[in-house]
Amino acid sequence: MCGIVGIIGSTPVNLSLYEALVMLQHRGQDAAGIVTIDDGAFRQRKANGLVTDVFEQKHMQRLKGNIGIGHVRYPTAGSSSAAEAQPFYVNSPYGIALAHNGNLTNSKELLLKCAQVHRHINTTSDSEILLNIFAWKLSEIKSSTLTPCDIFKAVESVNSEIAGAYAVVSLIVGVGLVAFRDPFGIRPLVLGQRVSEETHKTEYMVASESVALDIAGFKLVRDVEPGECVYITEDGELHTAICAKNRKLQPCIFEYVYLSRPDSIINGVSVYASRVRMGTKLAEKIQREYSHLDIDVVIPIPETSSDIAVQIARTLKLPYRQGFVKNRYIGRTFIMPGQKQRKRSVRNKLNPIFAEFKNKNVLLVDDSIVRGTTSTQIVDLARDCGAKKIYFASAAPEVRYPNVYGIDMPSKKELIADGKSVDEICTEIHADALIYQSLSDLEDAVREENPNLKDFETSVFTGNYIAGDVNKAYFDHLEELRSDDKKADKAWAESSVDLDLYNINE
């Protein structure tokens, strides 16, 4: 899970890119980067850290130009060093910069192809591989000037080579901005436009979520379709085409459960509204199957589950209380790269309000249970505050399989639901009862707002991987790359990459 943004404007875009990345910060807190084009040359700043820390005034002043892309990263595999912060760029052909959200499932094969066509890969990032595949396909077009048809042909060829989940935004010097989405639309990508108050020209923006459009004053036009390529020239001319065969919209349902901001609209669905419906569905299941539970109060585990918990309390006609105070200066534990960091951060992040737990039967509500570490510690916290009974409700079904499409659920053996019954999971997290949302109810909660969403990417619940040949050998390779120990071993890399391509030493 990462956040991407790209803007073609008629005035400088550095501030709009920065503001958009701040709005997408929840999608990645490990690193941030921006690349702009000024006078036919790239300007770049990227480093580890939050957006507000990476970009200082001196960097913003150097990020000149009316066209640019940006990225916030959270690493799903390999190193989290600054050297792997995005966007990446290559100098041939044309000069191309690229940022990517997702994960390629055939990166090992693609790495060999890059070597065969003499394209060098300098990091362990599949995004750099994707960039070089794109550059390779563009280099095969024997034309002095790239046309929209040339761009679409190159993207179509890229789609035929790569597998997995990907939403991509790229810059080509002298050409414009190119963005495309995988044939299943697993990762989100939206298109927006605005009219410049200064030049009165139409400007375009693509981003992972609609909230990035909102902050920059762009109006949501639509989602980029599965397999679609959006090409915007440097002069602001918009061209689009479908560049993939056998396409079918199957977005990642975890975007609605946890990943996306509640104020985003993705694939025609309000994330907030879908979470409210998740609460309704879960409350109805409690009424049907767990009516024997004597619940005194409903308490969310901040913050993604708050809207879900409010609706559960309303439906069950129970008091809703904020039982935990969240330290907003601590990052999301789900996307922290190491298990030890996750364990340490839970107690620092949440502090209980003792009176809301003492002598009460409490229903704790969370969006999901992945490793179970956080859930166990929170149940223990509630117990220490004097709760009599602690019931735990998850808005998502049991997460039993690793994610290969860009979410850090790396190893099957690290998932608490692997090979366990619901009762066994309940015992392991120290709860008195455990209620999971059914997959059909979860899908219906999202689908109700957009009936055109027939299917979803739900591999973490079902083990059905829709994009790419995913087998045991792939999982063994992925587990080696994504293990906490492996990530720790790669922490040697430098903490900052600051490249102004006009003055690399500045």
Side-chain angles (χ1 to χ4, degrees):
M1 181 184 75
C2 297
I4 61 174
V5 60
I7 301 177
I8 287 277
S10 54
T11 56
V13 297
N14 53 355
L15 181 59
S16 291
L17 288 168
Y18 173 88
E19 291 176 335
L21 291 182
V22 170
M23 297 298 281
L24 296 174
Q25 186 74 85
H26 60 287
R27 300 189 68 88
Q29 301 170 0
D30 190 69
I34 290 176
V35 170
T36 60
I37 297 177
D38 177 42
D39 253 352
F42 286 133
R43 296 271 191 151
Q44 176 175 271
R45 163 66 179 171
K46 61 180 182 177
N48 278 356
L50 300 178
V51 175
T52 52
D53 297 326
V54 168
F55 300 101
E56 301 175 17
Q57 185 175 2
K58 63 180 181 180
H59 306 126
M60 299 301 293
Q61 290 172 342
R62 294 196 332 242
L63 290 169
K64 300 176 181 178
N66 299 347
I67 171 175
I69 60 176
H71 184 268
V72 287
R73 178 191 70 182
Y74 106 106
T76 55
S79 172
S80 60
S81 73
E84 301 205 359
Q86 298 185 42
F88 290 109
Y89 76 93
V90 292
N91 291 322
S92 175
Y94 308 103
I96 308 167
L98 180 143
H100 162 226
N101 174 31
N103 185 59
L104 303 185
T105 55
N106 63 338
S107 57
K108 288 183 71 174
E109 295 85 349
L110 295 172
L111 191 60
L112 293 175
K113 288 187 177 182
C114 285
Q116 290 168 0
V117 295
H118 307 293
R119 300 206 66 90
H120 175 69
I121 307 301
N122 199 50
T123 70
T124 62
S125 172
D126 62 346
S127 301
E128 189 187 10
I129 295 173
L130 197 161
L131 166 61
N132 277 273
I133 295 293
F134 185 36
W136 166 36
K137 296 304 179 181
L138 284 172
S139 69
E140 294 183 329
I141 298 173
K142 306 303 179 183
S143 175
S144 58
T145 304
L146 287 177
T147 67
C149 288
D150 292 332
I151 296 291
F152 298 144
K153 181 180 178 181
V155 171
E156 184 175 3
S157 188
V158 169
N159 286 332
S160 69
E161 295 279 358
I162 65 179
Y166 48 94
V168 176
V169 61
S170 64
L171 299 179
I172 306 175
V173 174
V175 177
L177 184 149
V178 179
F180 52 97
R181 195 178 181 193
D182 71 73
F184 293 96
I186 296 173
R187 300 265 72 87
L189 192 63
V190 297
L191 173 67
Q193 70 176 39
R194 71 181 178 189
V195 177
S196 170
E197 294 181 356
E198 296 180 37
T199 66
H200 305 292
K201 293 182 178 180
T202 300
E203 302 175 324
Y204 293 97
M205 179 176 180
V206 290
S208 294
E209 296 184 34
S210 62
V211 290
L213 306 178
D214 299 338
I215 189 65
F218 284 80
K219 179 181 178 182
L220 175 63
V221 176
R222 60 179 177 85
D223 295 271
V224 176
E225 295 185 31
E228 184 181 20
C229 175
V230 174
Y231 164 45
I232 310 166
T233 70
E234 287 188 321
D235 294 329
E237 296 179 0
L238 175 68
H239 304 270
T240 66
I242 301 299
C243 299
K245 300 176 182 178
N246 303 318
R247 64 192 190 95
K248 178 185 179 183
L249 180 59
Q250 286 189 250
C252 173
I253 203 162
F254 230 81
E255 290 283 352
Y256 300 94
V257 173
Y258 177 84
L259 302 182
S260 298
R261 279 180 49 139
D263 44 345
S264 283
I265 298 173
I266 299 175
N267 300 304
V269 175
S270 161
V271 175
Y272 169 79
S274 71
R275 289 177 184 166
V276 170
R277 286 190 292 270
M278 289 175 204
T280 300
K281 301 283 187 185
L282 196 49
E284 291 171 350
K285 181 174 183 177
I286 293 171
Q287 288 174 324
R288 289 193 312 269
E289 302 177 25
Y290 296 87
S291 58
H292 60 283
L293 298 182
D294 184 18
I295 303 170
D296 294 319
V297 63
V298 178
I299 293 177
I301 297 172
E303 293 181 307
T304 315
S305 63
S306 296
D307 301 325
I308 300 166
V310 167
Q311 190 63 13
I312 290 175
R314 181 178 292 122
T315 304
L316 297 180
K317 296 180 173 55
L318 290 170
Y320 169 87
R321 295 289 186 270
Q322 293 285 349
F324 297 100
V325 176
K326 181 178 180 180
N327 183 344
R328 298 181 184 275
Y329 300 97
I330 298 292
R332 298 174 87 170
T333 55
F334 179 87
I335 61 176
M336 287 186 176
Q339 182 75 345
K340 290 181 180 179
Q341 285 179 273
R342 283 186 290 270
K343 287 182 178 179
R344 283 200 308 268
S345 67
V346 171
R347 191 61 180 86
N348 293 330
K349 186 172 78 168
L350 296 178
N351 197 46
I353 300 174
F354 284 72
E356 298 301 335
F357 295 94
K358 190 173 183 179
N359 297 323
K360 295 179 182 178
N361 296 331
V362 178
L363 177 65
L364 296 178
V365 180
D366 207 352
D367 50 75
S368 59
I369 306 173
V370 182
R371 292 171 174 87
T373 306
T374 300
S375 304
T376 304
Q377 292 185 53
I378 289 174
V379 170
D380 289 345
L381 269 178
R383 192 86 65 189
D384 291 342
C385 291
K388 291 191 299 182
K389 296 284 185 179
I390 302 170
Y391 313 124
F392 203 104
S394 168
E398 302 96 299
V399 176
R400 298 189 180 276
Y401 303 91
N403 185 281
V404 302
Y405 299 132
I407 307 175
D408 190 16
M409 298 179 188
S411 171
K412 195 171 187 291
K413 66 183 180 182
E414 290 181 6
L415 303 174
I416 192 171
D418 178 39
K420 298 186 184 74
S421 67
V422 173
D423 287 342
E424 288 171 329
I425 301 168
C426 181
T427 299
E428 188 157 336
I429 67 171
H430 305 161
D432 296 292
L434 175 59
I435 306 105
Y436 277 105
Q437 183 95 267
S438 72
L439 181 55
S440 60
D441 280 347
L442 177 59
E443 291 179 328
D444 287 343
V446 180
R447 187 184 292 122
E448 285 178 13
E449 192 164 334
N450 182 4
N452 292 324
L453 290 174
K454 304 298 183 184
D455 297 295
F456 297 90
E457 198 292 300
T458 59
S459 57
V460 295
F461 309 124
T462 66
N464 177 29
Y465 297 93
I466 61 175
D469 183 16
V470 179
N471 52 31
K472 184 180 184 301
Y474 176 78
F475 283 125
D476 290 343
H477 171 67
L478 199 65
E479 184 167 335
E480 179 185 359
L481 286 175
R482 291 183 173 183
S483 70
D484 289 329
D485 290 341
K486 193 75 173 182
K487 289 177 180 177
D489 289 343
K490 292 192 175 184
W492 51 265
E494 64 186 68
S495 62
S496 178
V497 175
D498 184 1
L499 299 178
D500 180 336
L501 297 182
Y502 274 170
N503 188 350
I504 199 168
N505 295 316
E506 184 176 344

